[in-house]
Amino acid sequence: MGFRDMFNSVLGRSKIPEAKTDRLFAISTAVITLEMNLNLKPSSVAAICFKSMEMSKYQNAREEIEQLLKFSTKETGTDFSIEKDEYNFLWVVLKDKDFEDLVTNIHMISQTLIEQGFGEQILCAVYRFESNGPVYWIYNFKLGNYYPFAPHGKNNRDNSMEFRLKSLMEKELPIEKDIGKWYPLWSMPF
């Protein structure tokens, strides 16, 4: 910790960590274990969520993301939509039967946002799996880790399933150790 960091810490100023994208691809290899050993099948849907931005900056970033997606989806056949949830967060929702295409497009979108100066706006990437109901693997960009989210009914979680998934996947995925940071995402638009 340098002098400036220590000074900012004493004054209560903290810098938001930069978005991490290096661990995003871990889900690409983990999907095999999730499918074969845990009977969790990728549902062909994934999304990336980020905070709202100043309108002019948002418009530029949105146009660049849409242009990149139109170009990349010609080759992959990925469908996409850009939506807002009830909390005013923006979501790029992707649909593709090829899981690798979903992961690649999530990475491309996050890199585009970082290059546009919106790295601090990126919140998470979400991959939906199916078993006896939806199970989500959420990648928190600020922490650089995944965590499971198993909704059960309206605003309830299957905590035992989440802990089981954690223990079975922690050798393959960078799992967030602090379960207090396993935030539920109730308002996902998919």
Side-chain angles (χ1 to χ4, degrees), residues 53-111:
M53 312 169 199
E54 178 187 311
M55 192 49 115
S56 62
K57 290 181 180 180
Y58 162 72
Q59 196 58 38
N60 291 339
R62 180 181 178 138
E63 287 172 8
E64 185 167 340
I65 289 169
E66 284 180 343
Q67 287 173 0
L68 285 169
L69 283 169
K70 284 177 186 172
F71 178 75
S72 76
T73 58
K74 282 182 184 176
E75 290 184 29
T76 64
T78 306
D79 291 325
F80 71 93
S81 62
I82 299 176
E83 303 177 28
K84 280 190 179 184
D85 67 15
E86 63 187 88
Y87 300 106
N88 212 29
F89 292 120
L90 298 169
W91 292 82
V92 177
V93 180
L94 305 167
K95 295 179 183 174
D96 194 314
K97 291 182 184 194
D98 186 340
F99 189 76
E100 290 296 317
D101 290 345
L102 293 173
V103 175
T104 301
N105 279 308
I106 292 285
H107 185 264
M108 180 196 63
I109 294 165
S110 65
Q111 285 302 117

Short mmCIF file of all heavy atoms in Angstrom, two decimals, residues 53-111:
data_model
loop_
_atom_site.label_atom_id
_atom_site.label_comp_id
_atom_site.label_asym_id
_atom_site.label_seq_id
_atom_site.Cartn_x
_atom_site.Cartn_y
_atom_site.Cartn_z
N MET A 53 -25.56 4.56 -16.92
CA MET A 53 -24.50 5.53 -17.16
C MET A 53 -25.11 6.85 -17.59
O MET A 53 -26.28 6.91 -17.93
CB MET A 53 -23.59 5.05 -18.29
CG MET A 53 -23.13 3.64 -18.19
SD MET A 53 -22.36 3.14 -19.74
CE MET A 53 -22.45 1.39 -19.54
N GLU A 54 -24.27 7.85 -17.63
CA GLU A 54 -24.70 9.14 -18.18
C GLU A 54 -25.20 8.88 -19.61
O GLU A 54 -24.60 8.13 -20.36
CB GLU A 54 -23.49 10.09 -18.20
CG GLU A 54 -23.77 11.43 -18.80
CD GLU A 54 -22.48 12.23 -18.94
OE1 GLU A 54 -21.72 12.30 -17.95
OE2 GLU A 54 -22.26 12.74 -20.04
N MET A 55 -26.31 9.50 -19.97
CA MET A 55 -27.00 9.18 -21.21
C MET A 55 -26.12 9.23 -22.45
O MET A 55 -26.13 8.31 -23.26
CB MET A 55 -28.22 10.10 -21.38
CG MET A 55 -29.14 9.63 -22.48
SD MET A 55 -29.51 7.88 -22.32
CE MET A 55 -31.23 7.95 -22.00
N SER A 56 -25.32 10.27 -22.64
CA SER A 56 -24.52 10.37 -23.86
C SER A 56 -23.45 9.28 -23.90
O SER A 56 -23.20 8.67 -24.93
CB SER A 56 -23.88 11.75 -23.98
OG SER A 56 -23.00 11.98 -22.90
N LYS A 57 -22.82 9.03 -22.76
CA LYS A 57 -21.81 7.97 -22.71
C LYS A 57 -22.46 6.61 -22.92
O LYS A 57 -21.93 5.75 -23.60
CB LYS A 57 -21.07 8.00 -21.37
CG LYS A 57 -20.17 9.19 -21.21
CD LYS A 57 -19.45 9.13 -19.90
CE LYS A 57 -18.52 10.30 -19.73
NZ LYS A 57 -17.82 10.27 -18.46
N TYR A 58 -23.62 6.42 -22.29
CA TYR A 58 -24.34 5.17 -22.43
C TYR A 58 -24.68 4.92 -23.90
O TYR A 58 -24.52 3.81 -24.40
CB TYR A 58 -25.61 5.18 -21.58
CG TYR A 58 -26.61 4.13 -21.98
CD1 TYR A 58 -26.37 2.78 -21.72
CD2 TYR A 58 -27.77 4.47 -22.67
CE1 TYR A 58 -27.28 1.81 -22.10
CE2 TYR A 58 -28.68 3.51 -23.06
CZ TYR A 58 -28.43 2.19 -22.77
OH TYR A 58 -29.32 1.23 -23.15
N GLN A 59 -25.16 5.93 -24.58
CA GLN A 59 -25.56 5.77 -25.98
C GLN A 59 -24.38 5.33 -26.84
O GLN A 59 -24.50 4.44 -27.67
CB GLN A 59 -26.16 7.08 -26.52
CG GLN A 59 -26.94 6.90 -27.79
CD GLN A 59 -28.09 5.91 -27.66
OE1 GLN A 59 -28.78 5.84 -26.65
NE2 GLN A 59 -28.27 5.09 -28.68
N ASN A 60 -23.22 5.94 -26.61
CA ASN A 60 -22.02 5.55 -27.37
C ASN A 60 -21.63 4.10 -27.09
O ASN A 60 -21.33 3.34 -28.00
CB ASN A 60 -20.84 6.47 -27.04
CG ASN A 60 -21.04 7.87 -27.58
OD1 ASN A 60 -21.82 8.10 -28.50
ND2 ASN A 60 -20.34 8.82 -26.99
N ALA A 61 -21.61 3.72 -25.80
CA ALA A 61 -21.25 2.36 -25.43
C ALA A 61 -22.27 1.37 -25.98
O ALA A 61 -21.90 0.31 -26.49
CB ALA A 61 -21.13 2.23 -23.91
N ARG A 62 -23.55 1.71 -25.87
CA ARG A 62 -24.60 0.82 -26.35
C ARG A 62 -24.46 0.60 -27.86
O ARG A 62 -24.56 -0.53 -28.34
CB ARG A 62 -25.98 1.38 -26.03
CG ARG A 62 -27.11 0.49 -26.51
CD ARG A 62 -28.47 1.05 -26.21
NE ARG A 62 -29.48 0.17 -26.76
CZ ARG A 62 -30.58 -0.16 -26.14
NH1 ARG A 62 -30.85 0.32 -24.95
NH2 ARG A 62 -31.46 -0.97 -26.71
N GLU A 63 -24.23 1.68 -28.60
CA GLU A 63 -24.07 1.55 -30.06
C GLU A 63 -22.88 0.67 -30.41
O GLU A 63 -22.97 -0.18 -31.30
CB GLU A 63 -23.93 2.93 -30.70
CG GLU A 63 -25.22 3.71 -30.73
CD GLU A 63 -25.05 5.16 -31.17
OE1 GLU A 63 -23.93 5.54 -31.60
OE2 GLU A 63 -26.04 5.91 -31.08
N GLU A 64 -21.76 0.84 -29.69
CA GLU A 64 -20.59 0.02 -29.98
C GLU A 64 -20.86 -1.45 -29.64
O GLU A 64 -20.51 -2.35 -30.41
CB GLU A 64 -19.36 0.51 -29.22
CG GLU A 64 -18.12 -0.27 -29.61
CD GLU A 64 -16.83 0.35 -29.15
OE1 GLU A 64 -16.80 1.56 -28.84
OE2 GLU A 64 -15.84 -0.38 -29.10
N ILE A 65 -21.52 -1.70 -28.51
CA ILE A 65 -21.85 -3.07 -28.12
C ILE A 65 -22.79 -3.69 -29.16
O ILE A 65 -22.59 -4.83 -29.58
CB ILE A 65 -22.46 -3.11 -26.71
CG1 ILE A 65 -21.38 -2.80 -25.67
CG2 ILE A 65 -23.10 -4.46 -26.42
CD1 ILE A 65 -21.91 -2.54 -24.28
N GLU A 66 -23.80 -2.94 -29.57
CA GLU A 66 -24.74 -3.46 -30.57
C GLU A 66 -24.04 -3.76 -31.89
O GLU A 66 -24.31 -4.80 -32.51
CB GLU A 66 -25.90 -2.49 -30.79
CG GLU A 66 -26.91 -2.51 -29.67
CD GLU A 66 -28.06 -1.54 -29.88
OE1 GLU A 66 -27.96 -0.61 -30.72
OE2 GLU A 66 -29.08 -1.71 -29.18
N GLN A 67 -23.14 -2.88 -32.33
CA GLN A 67 -22.41 -3.13 -33.58
C GLN A 67 -21.54 -4.38 -33.47
O GLN A 67 -21.51 -5.21 -34.38
CB GLN A 67 -21.56 -1.91 -33.94
CG GLN A 67 -22.37 -0.74 -34.43
CD GLN A 67 -21.51 0.51 -34.62
OE1 GLN A 67 -20.31 0.50 -34.39
NE2 GLN A 67 -22.15 1.60 -35.05
N LEU A 68 -20.83 -4.50 -32.34
CA LEU A 68 -19.99 -5.69 -32.14
C LEU A 68 -20.84 -6.95 -32.09
O LEU A 68 -20.47 -7.98 -32.67
CB LEU A 68 -19.16 -5.55 -30.87
CG LEU A 68 -17.98 -4.61 -30.95
CD1 LEU A 68 -17.41 -4.34 -29.56
CD2 LEU A 68 -16.91 -5.17 -31.86
N LEU A 69 -21.97 -6.89 -31.40
CA LEU A 69 -22.83 -8.06 -31.30
C LEU A 69 -23.43 -8.42 -32.66
O LEU A 69 -23.52 -9.60 -33.01
CB LEU A 69 -23.93 -7.84 -30.27
CG LEU A 69 -23.48 -7.96 -28.81
CD1 LEU A 69 -24.56 -7.47 -27.87
CD2 LEU A 69 -23.09 -9.40 -28.48
N LYS A 70 -23.84 -7.42 -33.42
CA LYS A 70 -24.38 -7.72 -34.76
C LYS A 70 -23.34 -8.41 -35.62
O LYS A 70 -23.64 -9.35 -36.35
CB LYS A 70 -24.87 -6.43 -35.42
CG LYS A 70 -26.19 -5.94 -34.88
CD LYS A 70 -26.60 -4.63 -35.51
CE LYS A 70 -27.85 -4.09 -34.82
NZ LYS A 70 -28.19 -2.75 -35.27
N PHE A 71 -22.09 -7.95 -35.50
CA PHE A 71 -21.00 -8.56 -36.27
C PHE A 71 -20.73 -9.98 -35.78
O PHE A 71 -20.65 -10.92 -36.56
CB PHE A 71 -19.74 -7.70 -36.18
CG PHE A 71 -18.57 -8.29 -36.90
CD1 PHE A 71 -18.50 -8.26 -38.28
CD2 PHE A 71 -17.53 -8.89 -36.19
CE1 PHE A 71 -17.42 -8.82 -38.95
CE2 PHE A 71 -16.45 -9.44 -36.84
CZ PHE A 71 -16.40 -9.41 -38.23
N SER A 72 -20.57 -10.14 -34.46
CA SER A 72 -20.21 -11.45 -33.92
C SER A 72 -21.35 -12.45 -34.03
O SER A 72 -21.12 -13.64 -34.20
CB SER A 72 -19.73 -11.34 -32.47
OG SER A 72 -20.81 -11.15 -31.60
N THR A 73 -22.59 -11.97 -33.96
CA THR A 73 -23.72 -12.90 -34.02
C THR A 73 -23.98 -13.42 -35.42
O THR A 73 -24.66 -14.43 -35.58
CB THR A 73 -25.00 -12.25 -33.45
OG1 THR A 73 -25.30 -11.07 -34.18
CG2 THR A 73 -24.86 -11.95 -31.98
N LYS A 74 -23.46 -12.75 -36.43
CA LYS A 74 -23.58 -13.27 -37.79
C LYS A 74 -22.88 -14.62 -37.89
O LYS A 74 -23.35 -15.53 -38.55
CB LYS A 74 -22.98 -12.30 -38.81
CG LYS A 74 -23.86 -11.14 -39.12
CD LYS A 74 -23.22 -10.25 -40.17
CE LYS A 74 -24.08 -9.02 -40.40
NZ LYS A 74 -23.46 -8.08 -41.33
N GLU A 75 -21.74 -14.74 -37.23
CA GLU A 75 -20.98 -15.98 -37.25
C GLU A 75 -21.51 -17.01 -36.28
O GLU A 75 -21.52 -18.20 -36.57
CB GLU A 75 -19.51 -15.70 -36.95
CG GLU A 75 -18.79 -14.96 -38.04
CD GLU A 75 -17.32 -14.78 -37.74
OE1 GLU A 75 -16.75 -15.62 -37.03
OE2 GLU A 75 -16.76 -13.80 -38.23
N THR A 76 -21.94 -16.56 -35.10
CA THR A 76 -22.33 -17.50 -34.06
C THR A 76 -23.82 -17.81 -34.01
O THR A 76 -24.22 -18.81 -33.43
CB THR A 76 -21.91 -16.96 -32.67
OG1 THR A 76 -22.64 -15.75 -32.41
CG2 THR A 76 -20.42 -16.70 -32.60
N GLY A 77 -24.65 -16.92 -34.54
CA GLY A 77 -26.09 -17.12 -34.47
C GLY A 77 -26.68 -16.76 -33.13
O GLY A 77 -27.80 -17.15 -32.80
N THR A 78 -25.96 -16.00 -32.33
CA THR A 78 -26.43 -15.58 -31.01
C THR A 78 -27.48 -14.49 -31.15
O THR A 78 -27.28 -13.53 -31.88
CB THR A 78 -25.26 -15.06 -30.15
OG1 THR A 78 -24.23 -16.06 -30.12
CG2 THR A 78 -25.70 -14.72 -28.75
N ASP A 79 -28.59 -14.64 -30.44
CA ASP A 79 -29.59 -13.57 -30.35
C ASP A 79 -29.26 -12.73 -29.12
O ASP A 79 -28.76 -13.26 -28.12
CB ASP A 79 -30.99 -14.15 -30.19
CG ASP A 79 -31.48 -14.85 -31.45
OD1 ASP A 79 -31.14 -14.39 -32.55
OD2 ASP A 79 -32.19 -15.86 -31.31
N PHE A 80 -29.57 -11.43 -29.18
CA PHE A 80 -29.31 -10.58 -28.03
C PHE A 80 -30.38 -9.52 -27.90
O PHE A 80 -31.05 -9.16 -28.86
CB PHE A 80 -27.92 -9.94 -28.10
CG PHE A 80 -27.81 -8.86 -29.15
CD1 PHE A 80 -28.03 -7.53 -28.83
CD2 PHE A 80 -27.47 -9.18 -30.47
CE1 PHE A 80 -27.92 -6.54 -29.79
CE2 PHE A 80 -27.36 -8.19 -31.43
CZ PHE A 80 -27.59 -6.86 -31.09
N SER A 81 -30.53 -9.04 -26.67
CA SER A 81 -31.41 -7.89 -26.41
C SER A 81 -30.77 -7.09 -25.28
O SER A 81 -30.02 -7.64 -24.47
CB SER A 81 -32.82 -8.34 -26.03
OG SER A 81 -32.80 -9.09 -24.84
N ILE A 82 -31.06 -5.81 -25.26
CA ILE A 82 -30.57 -4.94 -24.19
C ILE A 82 -31.80 -4.46 -23.42
O ILE A 82 -32.71 -3.89 -24.01
CB ILE A 82 -29.75 -3.77 -24.75
CG1 ILE A 82 -28.54 -4.31 -25.51
CG2 ILE A 82 -29.31 -2.84 -23.61
CD1 ILE A 82 -27.68 -3.27 -26.18
N GLU A 83 -31.82 -4.74 -22.11
CA GLU A 83 -33.00 -4.47 -21.29
C GLU A 83 -32.61 -3.80 -19.98
O GLU A 83 -31.48 -3.92 -19.54
CB GLU A 83 -33.73 -5.79 -21.00
CG GLU A 83 -34.13 -6.53 -22.25
CD GLU A 83 -34.78 -7.86 -21.96
OE1 GLU A 83 -35.40 -8.01 -20.89
OE2 GLU A 83 -34.67 -8.75 -22.81
N LYS A 84 -33.58 -3.14 -19.37
CA LYS A 84 -33.42 -2.58 -18.02
C LYS A 84 -34.29 -3.39 -17.07
O LYS A 84 -35.38 -3.80 -17.42
CB LYS A 84 -33.86 -1.12 -17.98
CG LYS A 84 -32.86 -0.15 -18.50
CD LYS A 84 -33.27 1.27 -18.21
CE LYS A 84 -32.21 2.22 -18.73
NZ LYS A 84 -32.50 3.60 -18.39
N ASP A 85 -33.79 -3.60 -15.85
CA ASP A 85 -34.61 -4.29 -14.86
C ASP A 85 -35.32 -3.26 -13.98
O ASP A 85 -35.20 -2.05 -14.19
CB ASP A 85 -33.78 -5.29 -14.05
CG ASP A 85 -32.74 -4.65 -13.15
OD1 ASP A 85 -32.80 -3.42 -12.91
OD2 ASP A 85 -31.85 -5.36 -12.67
N GLU A 86 -36.03 -3.73 -12.99
CA GLU A 86 -36.82 -2.84 -12.13
C GLU A 86 -35.95 -1.91 -11.29
O GLU A 86 -36.44 -0.92 -10.76
CB GLU A 86 -37.77 -3.64 -11.25
CG GLU A 86 -37.05 -4.56 -10.27
CD GLU A 86 -38.00 -5.46 -9.51
OE1 GLU A 86 -38.29 -6.55 -10.03
OE2 GLU A 86 -38.45 -5.05 -8.41
N TYR A 87 -34.67 -2.21 -11.15
CA TYR A 87 -33.76 -1.36 -10.38
C TYR A 87 -32.95 -0.43 -11.28
O TYR A 87 -31.98 0.19 -10.84
CB TYR A 87 -32.82 -2.21 -9.53
CG TYR A 87 -33.58 -3.08 -8.55
CD1 TYR A 87 -33.70 -4.45 -8.77
CD2 TYR A 87 -34.20 -2.53 -7.44
CE1 TYR A 87 -34.41 -5.25 -7.89
CE2 TYR A 87 -34.91 -3.31 -6.56
CZ TYR A 87 -35.01 -4.68 -6.79
OH TYR A 87 -35.72 -5.46 -5.93
N ASN A 88 -33.29 -0.39 -12.56
CA ASN A 88 -32.66 0.47 -13.54
C ASN A 88 -31.25 0.01 -13.94
O ASN A 88 -30.45 0.80 -14.44
CB ASN A 88 -32.64 1.93 -13.09
CG ASN A 88 -32.73 2.87 -14.27
OD1 ASN A 88 -33.31 2.55 -15.29
ND2 ASN A 88 -32.14 4.05 -14.12
N PHE A 89 -30.93 -1.27 -13.69
CA PHE A 89 -29.67 -1.83 -14.17
C PHE A 89 -29.87 -2.26 -15.61
O PHE A 89 -30.96 -2.68 -16.01
CB PHE A 89 -29.22 -3.02 -13.33
CG PHE A 89 -28.81 -2.64 -11.94
CD1 PHE A 89 -29.46 -3.17 -10.84
CD2 PHE A 89 -27.76 -1.77 -11.72
CE1 PHE A 89 -29.09 -2.82 -9.55
CE2 PHE A 89 -27.37 -1.41 -10.43
CZ PHE A 89 -28.04 -1.94 -9.35
N LEU A 90 -28.82 -2.17 -16.40
CA LEU A 90 -28.87 -2.56 -17.81
C LEU A 90 -28.36 -3.99 -17.96
O LEU A 90 -27.38 -4.38 -17.32
CB LEU A 90 -28.00 -1.62 -18.64
CG LEU A 90 -28.45 -0.16 -18.64
CD1 LEU A 90 -27.39 0.71 -19.26
CD2 LEU A 90 -29.77 -0.01 -19.37
N TRP A 91 -29.03 -4.74 -18.80
CA TRP A 91 -28.68 -6.13 -19.06
C TRP A 91 -28.53 -6.35 -20.56
O TRP A 91 -29.39 -5.93 -21.33
CB TRP A 91 -29.77 -7.07 -18.57
CG TRP A 91 -29.93 -7.13 -17.09
CD1 TRP A 91 -30.61 -6.25 -16.29
CD2 TRP A 91 -29.41 -8.13 -16.22
NE1 TRP A 91 -30.55 -6.64 -14.99
CE2 TRP A 91 -29.82 -7.81 -14.92
CE3 TRP A 91 -28.65 -9.28 -16.42
CZ2 TRP A 91 -29.48 -8.58 -13.82
CZ3 TRP A 91 -28.32 -10.05 -15.32
CH2 TRP A 91 -28.73 -9.70 -14.04
N VAL A 92 -27.47 -7.01 -20.96
CA VAL A 92 -27.37 -7.54 -22.31
C VAL A 92 -27.65 -9.04 -22.17
O VAL A 92 -26.87 -9.77 -21.55
CB VAL A 92 -25.99 -7.30 -22.95
CG1 VAL A 92 -25.93 -7.94 -24.34
CG2 VAL A 92 -25.68 -5.81 -23.03
N VAL A 93 -28.80 -9.46 -22.68
CA VAL A 93 -29.22 -10.86 -22.57
C VAL A 93 -28.89 -11.56 -23.88
O VAL A 93 -29.27 -11.09 -24.96
CB VAL A 93 -30.73 -10.95 -22.28
CG1 VAL A 93 -31.17 -12.41 -22.17
CG2 VAL A 93 -31.09 -10.19 -21.00
N LEU A 94 -28.19 -12.67 -23.77
CA LEU A 94 -27.74 -13.44 -24.94
C LEU A 94 -28.42 -14.80 -24.95
O LEU A 94 -28.58 -15.43 -23.90
CB LEU A 94 -26.22 -13.64 -24.87
CG LEU A 94 -25.38 -12.37 -24.76
CD1 LEU A 94 -23.95 -12.72 -24.38
CD2 LEU A 94 -25.42 -11.60 -26.05
N LYS A 95 -28.77 -15.26 -26.15
CA LYS A 95 -29.36 -16.59 -26.31
C LYS A 95 -28.61 -17.31 -27.42
O LYS A 95 -28.49 -16.80 -28.54
CB LYS A 95 -30.84 -16.49 -26.66
CG LYS A 95 -31.65 -15.88 -25.54
CD LYS A 95 -33.11 -15.75 -25.90
CE LYS A 95 -33.82 -15.07 -24.74
NZ LYS A 95 -35.19 -14.76 -25.03
N ASP A 96 -28.09 -18.49 -27.08
CA ASP A 96 -27.34 -19.28 -28.04
C ASP A 96 -27.24 -20.71 -27.51
O ASP A 96 -27.00 -20.91 -26.32
CB ASP A 96 -25.93 -18.69 -28.23
CG ASP A 96 -25.22 -19.24 -29.45
OD1 ASP A 96 -25.23 -20.47 -29.67
OD2 ASP A 96 -24.65 -18.43 -30.19
N LYS A 97 -27.40 -21.68 -28.38
CA LYS A 97 -27.30 -23.08 -27.94
C LYS A 97 -25.86 -23.49 -27.66
O LYS A 97 -25.62 -24.45 -26.95
CB LYS A 97 -27.94 -24.00 -28.98
CG LYS A 97 -29.44 -23.82 -29.05
CD LYS A 97 -30.07 -24.74 -30.03
CE LYS A 97 -31.55 -24.37 -30.05
NZ LYS A 97 -32.41 -25.27 -30.65
N ASP A 98 -24.91 -22.77 -28.24
CA ASP A 98 -23.50 -23.06 -28.03
C ASP A 98 -23.00 -22.26 -26.83
O ASP A 98 -22.87 -21.03 -26.89
CB ASP A 98 -22.71 -22.70 -29.29
CG ASP A 98 -21.25 -23.11 -29.20
OD1 ASP A 98 -20.73 -23.31 -28.08
OD2 ASP A 98 -20.61 -23.21 -30.27
N PHE A 99 -22.70 -22.95 -25.75
CA PHE A 99 -22.30 -22.30 -24.50
C PHE A 99 -21.03 -21.46 -24.69
O PHE A 99 -20.90 -20.39 -24.12
CB PHE A 99 -22.10 -23.34 -23.40
CG PHE A 99 -21.91 -22.74 -22.05
CD1 PHE A 99 -22.97 -22.21 -21.34
CD2 PHE A 99 -20.65 -22.70 -21.46
CE1 PHE A 99 -22.80 -21.64 -20.10
CE2 PHE A 99 -20.46 -22.14 -20.21
CZ PHE A 99 -21.54 -21.61 -19.52
N GLU A 100 -20.10 -21.97 -25.51
CA GLU A 100 -18.85 -21.23 -25.76
C GLU A 100 -19.12 -19.86 -26.38
O GLU A 100 -18.44 -18.89 -26.07
CB GLU A 100 -17.92 -22.04 -26.67
CG GLU A 100 -17.34 -23.27 -26.02
CD GLU A 100 -16.44 -22.95 -24.85
OE1 GLU A 100 -15.62 -22.00 -24.95
OE2 GLU A 100 -16.55 -23.63 -23.83
N ASP A 101 -20.12 -19.79 -27.26
CA ASP A 101 -20.47 -18.50 -27.87
C ASP A 101 -20.98 -17.52 -26.81
O ASP A 101 -20.68 -16.33 -26.88
CB ASP A 101 -21.54 -18.68 -28.96
CG ASP A 101 -20.99 -19.38 -30.19
OD1 ASP A 101 -19.76 -19.47 -30.34
OD2 ASP A 101 -21.82 -19.85 -31.01
N LEU A 102 -21.75 -18.03 -25.84
CA LEU A 102 -22.23 -17.16 -24.76
C LEU A 102 -21.06 -16.59 -23.96
O LEU A 102 -21.00 -15.38 -23.70
CB LEU A 102 -23.18 -17.93 -23.83
CG LEU A 102 -24.51 -18.37 -24.43
CD1 LEU A 102 -25.25 -19.28 -23.45
CD2 LEU A 102 -25.37 -17.18 -24.80
N VAL A 103 -20.13 -17.46 -23.59
CA VAL A 103 -18.97 -17.03 -22.80
C VAL A 103 -18.13 -16.02 -23.59
O VAL A 103 -17.74 -14.98 -23.05
CB VAL A 103 -18.13 -18.24 -22.36
CG1 VAL A 103 -16.86 -17.79 -21.64
CG2 VAL A 103 -18.94 -19.18 -21.48
N THR A 104 -17.90 -16.30 -24.85
CA THR A 104 -17.10 -15.40 -25.68
C THR A 104 -17.76 -14.03 -25.82
O THR A 104 -17.10 -12.99 -25.73
CB THR A 104 -16.87 -16.04 -27.07
OG1 THR A 104 -16.20 -17.29 -26.89
CG2 THR A 104 -16.04 -15.13 -27.97
N ASN A 105 -19.07 -14.02 -26.05
CA ASN A 105 -19.77 -12.74 -26.20
C ASN A 105 -19.81 -11.95 -24.88
O ASN A 105 -19.68 -10.73 -24.90
CB ASN A 105 -21.18 -12.95 -26.74
CG ASN A 105 -21.19 -13.14 -28.24
OD1 ASN A 105 -20.63 -12.32 -28.97
ND2 ASN A 105 -21.80 -14.21 -28.71
N ILE A 106 -19.96 -12.64 -23.76
CA ILE A 106 -19.90 -11.96 -22.45
C ILE A 106 -18.53 -11.29 -22.30
O ILE A 106 -18.43 -10.14 -21.89
CB ILE A 106 -20.17 -12.93 -21.28
CG1 ILE A 106 -21.62 -13.43 -21.30
CG2 ILE A 106 -19.80 -12.31 -19.94
CD1 ILE A 106 -22.66 -12.45 -20.84
N HIS A 107 -17.48 -12.02 -22.63
CA HIS A 107 -16.13 -11.46 -22.53
C HIS A 107 -15.96 -10.26 -23.45
O HIS A 107 -15.42 -9.23 -23.06
CB HIS A 107 -15.09 -12.54 -22.84
CG HIS A 107 -13.70 -12.06 -22.63
ND1 HIS A 107 -12.93 -11.58 -23.66
CD2 HIS A 107 -12.95 -11.95 -21.51
CE1 HIS A 107 -11.76 -11.21 -23.18
NE2 HIS A 107 -11.74 -11.42 -21.89
N MET A 108 -16.45 -10.37 -24.69
CA MET A 108 -16.33 -9.27 -25.64
C MET A 108 -17.05 -8.02 -25.13
O MET A 108 -16.53 -6.92 -25.21
CB MET A 108 -16.91 -9.68 -27.00
CG MET A 108 -16.82 -8.58 -28.05
SD MET A 108 -17.88 -8.85 -29.46
CE MET A 108 -19.49 -8.82 -28.74
N ILE A 109 -18.25 -8.19 -24.59
CA ILE A 109 -19.01 -7.06 -24.07
C ILE A 109 -18.27 -6.41 -22.91
O ILE A 109 -18.14 -5.19 -22.83
CB ILE A 109 -20.43 -7.49 -23.64
CG1 ILE A 109 -21.24 -7.94 -24.86
CG2 ILE A 109 -21.15 -6.37 -22.90
CD1 ILE A 109 -22.48 -8.72 -24.51
N SER A 110 -17.76 -7.23 -21.99
CA SER A 110 -17.05 -6.67 -20.84
C SER A 110 -15.79 -5.93 -21.28
O SER A 110 -15.51 -4.83 -20.78
CB SER A 110 -16.72 -7.76 -19.81
OG SER A 110 -15.81 -8.70 -20.33
N GLN A 111 -15.06 -6.47 -22.23
CA GLN A 111 -13.87 -5.79 -22.73
C GLN A 111 -14.23 -4.47 -23.40
O GLN A 111 -13.54 -3.47 -23.23
CB GLN A 111 -13.10 -6.69 -23.71
CG GLN A 111 -12.34 -7.80 -23.04
CD GLN A 111 -11.34 -7.29 -22.03
OE1 GLN A 111 -11.46 -7.56 -20.85
NE2 GLN A 111 -10.35 -6.54 -22.47
#
